Amino acid sequence: MQCIARLVIKRQKLLSSLYHSSVPSCKENKDIISTDKENIQIIKKETDTGLMRPKFEASQDIQSPPPPEEDQPNPRDRKNKIDMRFIPKTYTKTPQAIQFTKKSALIFDSLESKPKTLQTFKTACNIYLDKEGLYRRGHVEFIYAARDKLKEYNLNYDLNAYKALMNVFPKERLKPRSKIEAEFRRYPKQQDCAIEVLDTMGKNGVIPDVQFYNLILSVFGEYSHVTRKLQRTMYWLPKFKHANPWPIPKLLPDNKIELAKLALKRMAFDINNELTVWKTTETEENPNEDTFIVSAQSEKQRELIKKLSPDKAVFVDGGYNVYLRNVMQTYFVLRADPEHEPEVKVDEEEDLFNWTTIFEEEKPSSIVPKKSVHEQEDGVILGMCITGSSTRDSLVSWIRYLQDSNPNLEHIPVVFTLKTVGQGTDVVKYDQQNQKQSSAS
């Protein structure tokens, strides 16, 4: 036992001597030792448990590496980390996916001669299913190509078109085999494609039915992300379907006069508002242009015109744009300057102890007539119109037509402040003798 202990002691001494011999001798915390490398210096040696541990510091000659560039923010990333909405991932298109996209486009190109109806759209889906009925290769690319054709075929509000799209997915193959596998998103590319189709349905206000729900269950199963998205859609869309007090029909009329009426009804929300339609070819013998004028004015606005002073001018402002789904309408407003409110006299000596609580009504200090909805802070709205050409001549004709029901308008100067592209505002003064003096500003 003593021999073994002596051998262990000798071994420890030998290791300690070898270690100390490898470290150069120096004075503790004082000496600076230059090494063979010029760019590295050993500074400020410290001792810890009797062992020298030098610290290395790079000299100023060596340029420090540039800081790593920050990753550019992805626009698809969630700004709010608590937001639980699912955002589909953007996938890089492989050469095979590009080839499938071209084949899908060729299917629709072959049907260009046929009318663009629901039956033609289903025929394109059946052509793909006949070619790839067994393996359904490239079905994601075909669904994306067919979804982009919905607007062209005027089927973006048709539920049967979306059923034909979902029927392209292979059945039973994409279902997760357990809840854990569903959380890890089995076949994520196919699920992202289906979610984007559901997003398109939600934007267009298409409410799925029970048959559509059963179709999704047969493709993705009960616990997939697509099914969760569909369940939320079926819950919320019916609640917001009739929430808009001024609904717009899904299929807008082709007649421009009906579109103008629809736009003015949404903007002029006075119950007593009246819409009047004039056609220049029917009301004038030698019109400057063949167009129509749709005017919106109520009885209250006619009373406001009667109260106007002939010394103050009224203005025709425009044109402003309003949209009915994807259709843009340009409208013009006849307005007057707002009236100054009477100053309310405030008593200088107020009773600091006579406070009013929330349960008491504040006594009015003066009597002020109640304003109508047409009297706004920036002006008094006297009428609105939409013309077929949106030109200066059509607006002058509108003022002439308004003079029949508003005789006081004949004695009031009218100033046209029309917006022209690239030239600022074009101001035109129109007097009762139908003379125009224009100046550009």
Side-chain angles (χ1 to χ4, degrees):
M1 293 295 293
Q2 293 179 359
C3 294
I4 295 173
R6 289 175 183 175
L7 290 174
V8 171
I9 294 173
K10 288 181 179 181
R11 184 180 177 185
Q12 291 179 352
K13 290 181 179 181
L14 179 61
L15 293 174
S16 178
S17 62
L18 289 174
Y19 180 81
H20 287 286
S21 63
S22 62
V23 179
S25 60
C26 62
K27 295 181 181 180
E28 184 177 346
N29 294 333
K30 293 181 180 181
D31 296 339
I32 297 177
I33 301 176
S34 298
T35 60
D36 295 336
K37 298 181 180 179
E38 297 179 356
N39 294 326
I40 301 178
Q41 293 178 345
I42 304 175
I43 62 171
K44 191 180 180 182
K45 278 71 60 188
E46 294 181 354
T47 57
D48 187 12
T49 65
L51 300 179
M52 303 294 294
R53 294 188 178 182
K55 290 186 177 181
F56 293 91
E57 181 177 325
S59 65
Q60 297 180 355
D61 297 337
I62 299 180
Q63 296 181 357
S64 59
E69 297 182 358
E70 297 182 358
D71 296 336
Q72 296 296 330
N74 189 356
R76 302 181 67 87
D77 290 344
R78 299 187 183 95
K79 294 183 180 179
N80 184 6
K81 299 300 181 182
I82 308 178
D83 193 355
M84 298 304 295
R85 290 177 298 177
F86 180 76
I87 301 175
K89 182 182 177 182
T90 303
Y91 295 92
T92 304
K93 285 190 175 182
T94 61
Q96 189 177 10
I98 296 174
Q99 185 179 3
F100 286 140
T101 304
K102 292 180 179 179
K103 289 182 179 179
S104 303
L106 289 175
I107 294 176
F108 286 96
D109 292 342
S110 62
L111 301 174
E112 284 292 332
S113 59
K114 295 185 178 181
K116 295 182 179 181
T117 58
L118 177 62
Q119 189 62 34
T120 307
F121 187 82
K122 288 184 177 180
T123 302
C125 296
N126 293 331
I127 291 174
Y128 169 79
L129 293 176
D130 293 340
K131 289 183 178 180
E132 302 290 343
L134 182 60
Y135 298 105
R136 306 284 176 94
R137 290 173 296 187
H139 63 274
V140 173
E141 288 75 18
F142 177 80
I143 291 174
Y144 280 129
R147 186 197 61 172
D148 296 338
K149 293 286 183 178
L150 287 173
K151 189 175 181 180
E152 182 181 347
Y153 278 70
N154 202 13
L155 297 174
N156 44 352
Y157 302 111
D158 195 340
L159 179 60
N160 294 322
Y162 293 99
K163 289 181 181 178
L165 281 180
M166 289 299 180
N167 194 35
V168 176
F169 284 107
K171 306 297 188 295
E172 303 294 334
R173 191 187 307 171
L174 307 178
K175 284 185 177 181
R177 289 168 290 186
S178 64
K179 292 184 179 180
I180 297 177
E181 192 174 31
E183 290 298 327
F184 283 97
R185 299 184 64 236
R186 179 180 173 87
Y187 293 102
K189 188 176 181 179
Q190 283 75 7
Q191 291 199 45
D192 291 346
C193 178
I195 287 173
E196 291 190 19
V197 173
L198 292 177
D199 286 339
T200 306
M201 293 176 61
K203 291 177 182 178
N204 295 324
V206 181
I207 300 177
D209 56 2
V210 179
Q211 184 181 0
F212 189 89
Y213 181 77
N214 294 332
L215 181 60
I216 293 296
L217 288 180
S218 64
V219 177
F220 295 101
E222 185 179 358
Y223 305 107
S224 63
H225 290 269
V226 183
T227 307
R228 296 180 194 175
K229 169 72 175 178
L230 179 62
Q231 289 171 348
R232 297 188 186 103
T233 302
M234 296 181 70
Y235 178 80
W236 286 109
L237 271 188
K239 294 181 179 296
F240 295 115
K241 183 178 180 180
H242 303 291
N244 189 356
W246 299 282
I248 302 176
K250 291 183 178 180
L251 299 178
L252 295 175
D254 297 331
N255 192 352
K256 294 183 179 181
I257 297 178
E258 296 298 327
L259 286 174
K261 287 182 179 181
L262 188 61
L264 290 175
K265 282 181 181 178
R266 289 175 59 83
M267 292 184 291
F269 51 87
D270 193 348
I271 300 177
N272 300 321
N273 184 58
E274 298 176 2
L275 294 178
T276 310
V277 180
W278 295 292
K279 293 184 179 180
T280 55
T281 55
E282 297 177 359
T283 56
E284 298 180 11
E285 294 182 359
N286 297 318
N288 295 331
E289 56 183 348
D290 183 8
T291 185
F292 67 88
I293 301 171
V294 181
S295 175
Q297 194 177 48
S298 64
E299 187 63 31
K300 182 62 177 178
Q301 290 173 319
R302 297 189 186 98
E303 294 177 2
L304 293 173
I305 293 177
K306 291 180 182 179
K307 298 178 182 179
L308 292 177
S309 173
D311 300 333
K312 295 183 178 180
V314 294
F315 304 89
V316 177
D317 297 340
Y320 305 108
N321 296 331
V322 61
Y323 285 86
L324 299 174
R325 298 196 185 276
N326 336 357
V327 182
M328 185 186 71
Q329 297 285 318
T330 303
Y331 69 96
F332 300 87
V333 179
L334 177 65
R335 69 167 182 88
D337 291 331
E339 296 182 358
H340 297 285
E341 297 181 357
E343 297 182 359
V344 179
K345 296 182 180 180
V346 181
D347 297 334
E348 296 181 359
E349 297 180 0
E350 295 183 355
D351 191 356
L352 300 178
F353 298 96
N354 187 15
W355 295 346
T356 58
T357 62
I358 58 174
F359 304 102
E360 299 176 357
E361 294 184 358
E362 186 177 357
K363 296 181 180 179
S365 57
S366 63
I367 300 175
V368 179
K370 186 179 180 181
K371 292 184 178 181
S372 63
V373 294
H374 308 291
E375 299 176 78
Q376 303 295 328
E377 295 181 357
D378 54 346
V380 182
I381 308 301
L382 304 175
M384 291 190 297
C385 81
I386 294 178
T387 66
S389 57
S390 300
T391 59
R392 186 186 306 169
D393 294 335
S394 62
L395 295 175
V396 172
S397 301
W398 177 47
I399 297 298
R400 287 202 208 103
Y401 300 151
L402 287 179
Q403 289 175 357
D404 297 337
S405 56
N406 303 276
N408 192 28
L409 198 59
E410 298 179 1
H411 309 288
I412 299 174
V414 181
V415 179
F416 294 82
T417 56
L418 307 179
K419 296 181 180 179
T420 55
V421 179
Q423 298 180 359
T425 303
D426 191 11
V427 180
V428 180
K429 186 177 180 182
Y430 173 75
D431 58 10
Q432 56 184 349
Q433 283 81 20
N434 298 334
Q435 295 178 353
K436 303 176 186 178
Q437 298 174 355
S438 62
S439 61
S441 62

